[in-house]
Amino acid sequence: MTELDAGEPTAGVPTAGEPQSDGGRGAHASRRNFMRKVFFAGGATAVVTMGGAGAWTALADDTTATADATASASPSAAPSGGPGGGTGGPGNQSLTEEFFGLTTDGKRIDDLFTIHATKVATAPVISAANAFLAGLTDTQKSSAQFTVHSTEWRLWSNIDSYERQGVSLADLSDDQKALGTALLKAALSADGLETTEKIRKINQAAGEAIGNTTSFNEDAYYWTLMGTPSDSEPWGFQFDGHHLVVNYFVLGDQVVMSPCFWGSEPTSMEIDGETVTVCHEEVVASLAFINSLTEAQRKTAIASSTKSDESMKAGAFSDNTVQAYEGLRGKELTAAQRAKLLGIAEAFAGRAKADAAKVRMAEVRKHLDDTYVTWAGGTGDDDAFYVRVHSPVVWIEVDCQSPGPLAGAYGASRGDGPTQKHVHSIIRTPNGNDYGKELLRQHYLTSPHHR
């Protein structure tokens, strides 16, 4: 196992005498050493040579080299994962576990994702990513760029105190920040870009309100790029920070934008005389759906009229969560109700460019009959709630949480109970295609130059 396989940047790390930026933002060696200890503690398993040893070696999730096919052979072989992750802590799941993906029973469904033409325009994203990399210094690039199959994909978290790798906005010049914004603009829709900017803006304002901009500010967000931007080889990027995580995988004209975490505390705030509101679309869409149901349907969909402080099951470090379908099945819905269910998915998919969102929604519609919705909490306009939308190809959670570290920014106190003022939400791709992992696997198995 090489350091590169353990999630190291593709270029060399700075030497002891090379300057680094101050604080934890630039100094990520301690985190690498910690994670390396975690990986070594778990040990590495043998490579299974189905489809070619080279393919599986390339696909190994860095330190654990068991082939995905082996893990899918039986439920007991699949990583158990762990519920939670809404807090974003690494204790929910050990990354010594090979990536397997979200499943209902520990077994993945085959043939859901294939390499095929989608007509998504990825050239602007490739160009913007190359421009961003070209604008970095050699030291910054060595911190920010990883291999496409690096464990770094999985080392994201939505909490503020998590020590991240990559290059932070705080370490970038204004020109470099503009290049990063251009990359987000190339990948995201206007709504998606606006959402990322509002989350950061509220994070800064809330930090100012409680007198802690060291932890809560608009620059504590980190860039990492996996692989080399290409129109034929797999690559991607990650933008990661408090309440905001975007994972974006590219293979040719195919895009996988998951996992993506969107959240805020508070979700609405007066900033410079303007009301800034974020994460509103998913809340409105969710309430519109639940209130479209008949009384009989609500009895099936609503698991509880109350909700816990935190209900999210597949947040950070929960890549391998096993969760059976629960609640009301899409097959039981009327056409109007199905449209409202799709509205929840559209609130998330619509944060990607229109062509990528169209492909994603077609995927969701194809499995709408086998989509399940479960609910906890109230159904009033201002009620706190939790909803999970779960199908073979999409996993969505919207979770109104209890006041957290920024409670003072909106006059709340910890222990006040769940509120729409603190929302965590996530979209994932079950059955092994988060981070584009299934497409990556197929690429390495089928491309002649990788055999």
Side-chain angles (χ1 to χ4, degrees):
M1 178 179 66
T2 65
E3 286 194 346
L4 183 65
D5 287 334
E8 294 294 305
T10 55
V13 297
T15 63
E18 194 171 346
Q20 296 188 38
S21 56
D22 62 345
R25 291 178 179 138
H28 53 257
S30 62
R31 177 169 174 269
R32 287 202 308 272
N33 290 334
F34 168 75
M35 292 310 301
R36 190 178 293 116
K37 290 177 182 177
V38 173
F39 294 137
F40 280 124
T45 50
V47 175
V48 177
T49 57
M50 291 184 62
W56 289 119
T57 300
L59 280 171
D61 196 15
D62 300 307
T63 58
T64 50
T66 304
D68 288 309
T70 301
S72 62
S74 67
S76 61
S80 61
T87 56
N92 297 309
Q93 176 189 315
S94 169
L95 285 188
T96 57
E97 294 179 343
E98 177 191 0
F99 174 83
F100 193 75
L102 276 59
T103 62
T104 59
D105 58 2
K107 298 179 181 179
R108 285 197 302 235
I109 301 173
D110 295 328
D111 303 322
L112 288 172
F113 312 103
T114 62
I115 296 175
H116 63 279
T118 66
K119 298 183 180 180
V120 172
T122 56
V125 188
I126 295 168
S127 178
N130 279 322
F132 175 69
L133 283 172
L136 299 180
T137 66
D138 289 344
T139 299
Q140 288 170 333
K141 191 179 296 185
S142 74
S143 297
Q145 198 169 12
F146 296 75
T147 63
V148 73
H149 51 85
S150 172
T151 309
E152 179 60 23
W153 276 117
R154 302 176 63 197
L155 297 181
W156 60 268
S157 175
N158 55 281
I159 65 172
D160 61 282
S161 59
Y162 182 64
E163 188 179 355
R164 296 168 170 86
Q165 294 197 119
V167 59
S168 76
L169 296 183
D171 295 329
L172 300 180
S173 68
D174 289 344
D175 288 344
Q176 291 171 324
K177 285 181 181 179
L179 290 171
T181 299
L183 175 51
L184 286 176
K185 188 174 182 179
L188 305 179
S189 66
D191 176 67
L193 182 62
E194 182 180 42
T195 300
T196 65
E197 292 176 341
K198 284 182 174 180
I199 289 172
R200 291 176 48 231
K201 191 172 185 177
I202 289 177
N203 201 50
Q204 174 75 36
E208 292 173 358
I210 66 168
N212 184 4
T213 55
T214 300
S215 299
F216 305 100
N217 60 74
E218 61 185 355
D219 284 339
Y221 294 84
Y222 288 69
W223 281 104
T224 50
L225 280 85
M226 269 57 86
T228 301
S230 167
D231 62 3
S232 59
E233 291 297 304
W235 70 281
F237 70 82
Q238 183 182 88
F239 190 61
D240 176 21
H242 185 219
H243 281 148
L244 173 62
V245 182
V246 176
N247 285 290
Y248 194 96
F249 172 86
V250 182
L251 177 57
D253 66 352
Q254 288 184 270
V255 167
V256 178
M257 201 169 103
S258 78
C260 285
F261 185 104
W262 316 88
S264 190
E265 183 187 22
T267 51
S268 186
M269 194 172 184
E270 284 286 328
I271 303 176
D272 297 329
E274 174 191 2
T275 300
V276 178
T277 301
V278 73
C279 298
H280 187 59
E281 299 92 338
E282 53 262 52
V283 170
V284 171
S286 299
L287 287 168
F289 169 75
I290 198 68
N291 286 305
S292 74
L293 302 182
T294 66
E295 189 61 34
Q297 289 172 323
R298 286 161 68 98
K299 287 181 179 179
T300 302
I302 300 176
S304 172
S305 60
T306 60
K307 77 171 298 293
S308 59
D309 290 345
E310 177 193 338
S311 305
M312 185 169 281
K313 292 187 175 295
F317 299 94
S318 297
D319 288 337
N320 298 334
T321 294
V322 177
Q323 174 63 56
Y325 290 129
E326 293 181 343
L328 184 64
R329 187 178 178 184
K331 189 176 182 180
E332 308 303 322
L333 302 176
T334 66
Q337 291 168 337
R338 288 161 71 93
K340 291 188 182 299
L341 175 54
L342 288 171
I344 302 176
E346 286 168 350
F348 291 86
R351 289 172 182 159
K353 284 291 187 184
D355 51 2
K358 182 178 179 180
V359 172
R360 181 62 154 146
M361 289 307 300
E363 189 176 70
V364 173
R365 286 188 181 90
K366 184 177 179 181
H367 297 273
L368 196 56
D369 280 354
D370 295 319
T371 300
Y372 290 77
V373 186
T374 187
W375 186 279
T379 60
D381 289 347
D382 299 319
D383 288 345
F385 66 87
Y386 165 81
V387 64
R388 183 170 69 249
V389 178
H390 185 189
S391 87
V393 297
V394 73
W395 169 291
I396 290 168
E397 293 180 274
V398 181
D399 187 16
C400 300
Q401 301 208 337
S402 291
L406 291 169
Y410 54 106
S413 300
R414 292 197 177 196
D416 283 353
T419 172
Q420 287 188 20
K421 287 287 189 179
H422 187 189
V423 168
H424 285 187
S425 62
I426 194 167
I427 182 169
R428 283 183 172 271
T429 308
N431 289 296
N433 208 32
D434 268 337
Y435 317 101
K437 288 280 192 179
E438 175 58 18
L439 296 185
L440 182 64
R441 184 185 75 86
Q442 292 182 31
H443 173 77
Y444 277 105
L445 288 175
T446 60
S447 297
H449 58 285
H450 287 304
R451 290 185 174 181

